[in-house]
Amino acid sequence: MRRSRGLAAALALALAGTCTAMGLGLVEEAAAITPPVAFTADELPTWQANGVVWALAEAGDRVFVGGTFSAVRPPDGAAGTEQEAVNFATLDAATGAPTSCKLSFTVGSGTATVRALVLSPDKATLYAGGYFGAVNGTAVSSLAAIDVATCTVKTDFRPAFAATVRALAVTGDTVYAGGDFLTVAGQPRERFAAVGAADGTLKPFTANADEPGRAVELTPDGEHVVLGGDFFTVGGTNSHALAVVDATTGAVTKAYPGFVETNSVVKDIATDATGFYTANEGTGGGVFDGRIALNLSDFGQRWRDTCLGATQAVLPYQDVLYSASHAHDCSSVGEFPDGQRHHLLAQPTTATGKLGWAPDTNDGIGEGIGPRVMAVGSKGGVQYLWVGGEFTTVNGSAQQSLTRFASTGDTGAPSVPVASAVSFKPGQVQVRWRTSLDLDDGTLTYKVYRNGAATPIATVVADSLFFRRPQTSWTDTTVTAGQSYTYRVTATDAAGNTSALSGTASVTVPNSPDAYPNAVRTDGAQLFWRYDESALPFVADSSDGGNQSGVHLNGPALRQTPGAVSGASTAIGFNGTDTQVYGDRRQSVGSTYSIETWFRTNTTRGGKLFGFGNNQSRGSSQYDKHIYMTNDGRLVYGVYSGGTHTVTTAAAYNDNQWHHVVATQGPGGMTLYVDGVQKGTLGFTAHENFAGYWHAGGDSLGGWPDRPISEYWAGQLDETAVYPTVLSAAQVQNHHTLASAPADSVVEVQAAEDTYANAGAPSTNYGTSGSLAVRGTSFYASYLRFNLPAAPAGTVLKTATLSVKTSTMSGAGTTDTVSVLPVTGSWTEAGATYANRPALGGPALGGFSGVPEGSAVHTTGLDKTAVAGALGSAYGLALSSAGTDALWLWSSEAQANEGSPRLTLTFGAP
């Protein structure tokens, strides 16, 4: 699993035959490593602490860990496997196991803690800050220097900090500290100070702050120190939470009055060659919880990421900014809305857009923050991203306070695609799937397999992120009208990890356009939810563009019949309590649009049928462009712009019958149609302009007139569509009329009996062998019997096709022509042999001009007149050839998927 910078889908196609893609651009497949993310999301086995990890630092192949804990234990270690580790541990970067370096940080009263660790430029000395009075029994005062080579305290380094040290930075001769202290060595130094790196002697540097310091970072040239914390003044200068000071004197060189919200603080600062980055945490409403990038050239803002969710740590590495937070709302930067917390994220150092890397922890113990600190260690040419904090799980598995991720060894496969296939007109099948989830790869390669073949018919490359998984579709244009096809899809990351095959998507290509969906697509729908899914949680978009899929929430009822449109289409049922469908794609809606759906209900509690809101799985705080029902069954269409503006029907529609509703807005104002008839207009053209998601079955309704008891819809919906244009009255009426027009129906009939005869074994019966065989010399012939249904009332047989599947044995295919013939003699599966085989009739009903090698489904059309004459009775067919190259097929007794011979019958109006 490798990474992608792109946030919009970049799609590519490599096709067999003349198959084409709908709206897909050609790009190269993903490289072995997709820059710029450097680490997998697969957590590695790592020893864990029994408390909170606050600090990390690395030296060569070792990682130093500081915090508030008393022991460490192995990965998945149970009680009794711990090793004592008093607020400090040293772990091997490559194995995650303890080394021989052990230090104990203690205090006479209170709770000792290590809050900051930093290494000297030569990595020979480790400086530790926190609240402690001794290290391995050697007296110190909240700041200590450790000789890395010997793992011993440097006794000639003896600064005296009177309170907790929370942050450290170091040059060759100076250690800068930030924290809660007011004095150092008995001299006034409020929250920030500097001491000599060799002996801890207090330096003249003075940058007094009025509230605690939490972050200290040097600029790469060593001339400035960037300070972060809770403060409102530094050196008497108004500068809340952030300031840049002279590295020698502490004088303020850049102040930030009003730059960070007053109820937010800076928790961490990190620097690279181009700038510095802040991690911010806020409390209460209107906070700033995200990240800021500032340029080194002028200390001015480069970008600001306003995601909400208490950022604790930032780490720039190879042009990527990794962050530790519990981000739960990034809608302000065009990403995920308020909802699930995400604790580890990555973005370019140049922008706010998130990259395809999102391993996760939980909030954990203590304050329930999750991860708090990050560092990169290296050993044997492999880099390891270490993460510490107060979490107790990583990627859903138990792991406390420590975890790590490597730059190699990606093992996680993408999630299995959820695929479906539809055909609305002859010559085309739209295969579509929701893009898969892969926590460390934003670009995946999808392979489409048809009729069980081992070789893909198409390869599509598409981008997705954990919060943006758009539908991807591919159109097969090599299909034949009246024939049935099956499709399955896999997802592969750049490391070669491949998902399992998706479930089988089956489809029959119609002989003529399917009137209702074809009209919706022709009229320009950009979202078209037909609700024909048989499994949660993906709602396919059947529009021509096919990229506005939906997600089921809380399990609405699927495959409800009858649907609103005649034919095979089904509806979806909502419980009126918590079920809905929300859009997968965040978007903005212009001032011209149409929304359309069919509904059926007998509710007396009302509810929202369909509308637009700024959240997905949580109730929206902005919502309009919606249709809802009042308690007494009337329909309301409304938009918001400084107030609510509505059109309401006089009649009620909660009569448990299917009804069609369309709402439009454009330059001519608002119009509401029900069952093809205009029910009201309003000359209002404005609406609330915000980015959000479409919702079916429920969302917020607070503040709207005739607000129903329930915001959720209790009833059924079908054929929901959104258009970027105003549908005309004629188009609306046409859609209503087409829904009741007779539609073709498709019936699949599996073989009731099948066997084959073998001249080489004239008395042997093969009825339960699981195989069928065809050859001219020496003779094999296969026999199939189908129990055909009668034609539905008012319809005739329009097409008939036979499908068979080659077996997996070597040489199962044939170069000979195989004919499908009627059987004139009697036979049974249990009794047929070569010696008593039935007679074959003629002429041929269909045939195969050779069958290629490889196990796959093959289909041929049959003479519909001959088949029509046998409707309502048992019908026998035979497969025969005149050549010497045998064809081997699965029989109905075989366990192979899609193996049974079957007839597909299409019935329609005469």
Side-chain angles (χ1 to χ4, degrees):
M1 288 176 266
R2 298 292 177 250
R3 279 59 49 186
S4 169
R5 304 181 72 118
L7 297 180
L11 305 175
L13 185 64
L15 303 174
T18 60
C19 304
T20 62
M22 301 289 288
L24 307 184
L26 297 177
V27 300
E28 294 181 1
E29 292 192 16
I33 297 178
T34 304
V37 174
F39 303 99
T40 80
D42 303 323
E43 75 279 9
L44 297 174
T46 306
W47 279 57
Q48 50 196 316
N50 65 349
V52 178
V53 170
W54 293 98
L56 294 168
E58 62 82 23
D61 56 6
R62 287 169 291 176
V63 173
F64 302 104
V65 181
T68 311
F69 51 85
S70 61
V72 293
R73 64 184 186 276
D76 301 322
T81 62
E82 297 95 347
Q83 293 184 10
E84 183 180 64
V86 183
N87 303 312
F88 181 87
T90 306
L91 304 180
D92 185 281
T95 67
T99 70
S100 59
C101 177
K102 301 180 186 300
L103 299 171
S104 178
F105 287 73
T106 58
V107 69
S109 61
T111 301
T113 183
V114 175
R115 293 299 181 105
L117 294 170
V118 66
L119 283 145
S120 59
D122 61 5
K123 297 195 174 184
T125 302
L126 173 69
Y127 296 92
Y131 179 70
F132 45 83
V135 180
N136 280 6
T138 299
V140 293
S141 183
S142 293
L143 180 59
I146 311 299
D147 182 79
V148 172
T150 62
C151 191
T152 58
V153 179
K154 290 189 172 184
T155 57
D156 51 356
F157 180 84
R158 298 294 296 274
F161 282 79
T164 304
V165 172
R166 297 182 180 274
L168 294 172
V170 63
T171 67
D173 60 6
T174 304
V175 178
Y176 297 89
D180 301 348
F181 51 86
L182 299 177
T183 63
V184 178
Q187 300 298 311
R189 291 292 191 275
E190 298 176 11
R191 281 88 183 198
F192 295 101
V195 299
D199 57 10
T201 301
L202 184 64
K203 293 207 167 191
F205 175 92
T206 303
N208 292 334
D210 60 339
E211 295 290 344
R214 299 184 182 274
V216 181
E217 184 72 14
L218 284 155
T219 58
D221 60 11
E223 295 182 359
H224 297 88
V225 182
V226 187
L227 310 178
D230 301 6
F231 52 82
F232 290 87
T233 63
V234 175
T237 300
N238 179 14
S239 189
H240 173 53
L242 183 67
V244 181
V245 300
D246 183 90
T248 301
T249 66
V252 175
T253 58
K254 175 70 174 180
Y256 295 89
F259 188 69
V260 176
E261 280 72 1
T262 57
N263 53 354
S264 297
V265 301
V266 170
K267 298 296 292 288
D268 187 31
I269 301 172
T271 304
D272 64 11
T274 65
F276 62 94
Y277 310 87
T278 71
N280 301 269
E281 175 186 86
T283 303
V287 301
F288 174 56
D289 263 352
R291 294 157 288 282
I292 303 174
L294 299 105
N295 297 314
L296 286 176
S297 57
D298 59 1
F299 302 126
Q301 180 174 294
R302 181 191 307 164
W303 51 256
R304 179 179 291 228
D305 185 336
T306 53
C307 287
L308 294 175
T311 306
Q312 302 297 306
V314 286
L315 175 65
Y317 182 78
Q318 294 184 357
D319 300 324
V320 172
L321 184 69
Y322 299 88
S323 59
S325 68
H326 56 254
H328 59 86
D329 185 353
C330 286
S331 57
S332 61
V333 291
E335 297 174 332
F336 52 90
D338 193 14
Q340 178 183 345
R341 290 183 168 190
H342 305 279
H343 297 85
L344 296 169
L345 298 173
Q347 60 199 92
T349 54
T350 56
T352 63
K354 306 305 177 292
L355 298 167
W357 184 84
D360 204 12
T361 72
N362 64 353
D363 291 343
I365 60 176
E367 296 178 46
I369 293 292
R372 287 187 175 273
V373 64
M374 297 181 292
V376 174
S378 177
K379 186 174 183 179
V382 178
Q383 287 71 48
Y384 300 90
L385 175 61
W386 284 70
V387 179
E390 55 198 34
F391 50 85
T392 57
T393 67
V394 178
N395 289 341
S397 298
Q399 176 72 20
Q400 185 171 353
S401 301
L402 277 171
T403 190
R404 61 202 175 98
F405 308 94
S407 59
T408 61
D410 180 12
T411 59
S415 63
V416 180
V418 180
S420 61
V422 290
S423 182
F424 299 124
K425 58 184 179 180
Q428 286 190 3
V429 169
Q430 182 193 50
V431 185
R432 64 272 179 97
W433 59 93
R434 188 187 191 197
T435 45
S436 295
L437 175 63
D438 192 311
L439 293 178
D440 54 10
D441 201 330
T443 300
L444 299 173
T445 300
Y446 300 89
K447 294 182 178 180
V448 182
Y449 298 85
R450 188 173 76 178
N451 290 348
T455 301
I457 193 172
T459 299
V460 178
V461 177
D463 282 1
S464 59
L465 297 170
F466 67 92
F467 60 89
R468 185 180 293 131
R469 295 172 59 190
Q471 175 175 297
T472 295
S473 62
W474 169 79
T475 299
D476 187 351
T477 60
T478 64
V479 294
T480 301
Q483 295 195 15
S484 297
Y485 298 86
T486 62
Y487 299 87
R488 304 182 79 180
V489 182
T490 63
T492 303
D493 65 23
N497 300 305
T498 300
S499 74
L501 282 163
S502 70
T504 300
S506 301
V507 64
T508 298
V509 182
N511 287 280
S512 58
D514 193 345
Y516 185 88
N518 196 57
V520 171
R521 288 160 59 96
T522 300
D523 287 343
Q526 289 186 335
L527 176 153
F528 187 19
W529 295 344
R530 304 205 73 198
Y531 307 118
D532 292 335
E533 290 74 30
S534 58
L536 303 170
F538 171 60
V539 181
D541 177 14
S542 294
S543 71
D544 193 37
N547 65 359
Q548 296 206 41
S549 51
V551 178
H552 298 111
L553 180 64
N554 296 323
L558 307 182
R559 305 290 296 175
Q560 301 291 289
T561 57
V565 176
S566 60
S569 181
T570 61
I572 189 169
F574 299 99
N575 63 11
T577 302
D578 62 357
T579 57
Q580 65 163 289
V581 171
Y582 61 80
D584 225 2
R585 177 184 172 193
R586 189 172 188 264
Q587 59 187 289
S588 295
V589 179
S591 58
T592 299
Y593 60 89
S594 299
I595 55 180
E596 173 182 40
T597 195
W598 287 78
F599 67 94
R600 183 172 70 174
T601 187
N602 60 2
T603 185
T604 57
R605 302 179 69 248
K608 182 180 289 191
L609 284 71
F610 189 72
F612 195 67
N614 66 334
N615 257 338
Q616 287 182 307
S617 58
R618 295 189 179 186
S620 296
S621 59
Q622 292 177 284
Y623 40 93
D624 77 337
K625 295 174 281 293
H626 54 204
I627 301 169
Y628 62 93
M629 179 173 279
T630 63
N631 295 335
D632 59 5
R634 291 173 296 128
L635 295 175
V636 182
Y637 160 45
V639 300
Y640 182 88
S641 179
T644 61
H645 305 268
T646 60
V647 179
T648 305
T649 65
Y653 296 93
N654 55 346
D655 56 2
N656 213 30
Q657 300 297 313
W658 279 112
H659 295 284
H660 178 229
V661 59
V662 176
T664 71
Q665 187 180 28
M670 301 164 58
T671 304
L672 177 64
Y673 300 87
V674 181
D675 294 336
V677 178
Q678 185 185 112
K679 295 297 182 179
T681 62
L682 183 66
F684 189 77
T685 60
H687 68 114
E688 188 171 15
N689 188 15
F690 63 92
Y693 308 85
W694 290 107
H695 294 254
D699 197 12
S700 303
L701 279 171
W704 283 80
D706 292 321
R707 181 184 179 186
I709 294 173
S710 175
E711 295 181 335
Y712 286 87
W713 169 252
Q716 295 176 332
L717 295 180
D718 201 1
E719 309 295 333
T720 300
V722 178
Y723 306 80
T725 59
V726 173
L727 291 180
S728 68
Q731 288 173 311
V732 172
Q733 177 61 56
N734 184 48
H735 291 193
H736 181 255
T737 301
L738 289 175
S740 59
D744 289 353
S745 60
V746 178
V747 178
E748 283 196 354
V749 184
Q750 302 288 340
E753 294 186 279
D754 52 13
T755 188
Y756 75 96
N758 177 6
S763 61
T764 301
N765 172 262
Y766 294 94
T768 59
S769 68
S771 296
L772 299 172
V774 182
R775 186 173 61 193
T777 306
S778 86
F779 179 86
Y780 296 142
S782 290
Y783 304 95
L784 317 171
R785 178 176 287 117
F786 299 90
N787 294 323
L788 302 183
T795 67
V796 297
L797 181 67
K798 300 181 75 172
T799 63
T801 62
L802 171 68
S803 298
V804 294
K805 186 174 184 180
T806 45
S807 73
T808 53
M809 68 180 290
S810 177
T814 182
T815 58
D816 296 335
T817 295
V818 176
S819 298
V820 182
L821 303 171
V823 175
T824 60
S826 63
W827 62 281
T828 63
E829 179 182 85
T833 66
Y834 177 79
N836 66 2
R837 67 190 186 280
L840 304 181
L845 305 173
F848 302 91
S849 298
V851 176
E853 297 299 327
S855 181
V857 175
H858 300 276
T859 302
T860 181
L862 301 181
D863 184 324
K864 70 176 181 180
T865 301
V867 177
L871 290 175
S873 64
Y875 188 50
L877 300 174
L879 301 178
S880 178
S881 77
T884 58
D885 187 9
L887 171 68
W888 289 93
L889 306 170
W890 293 122
S891 77
S892 58
E893 281 77 16
Q895 298 300 310
N897 188 38
E898 306 160 355
S900 297
R902 66 182 185 273
L903 286 179
T904 301
L905 309 176
T906 303
F907 298 95

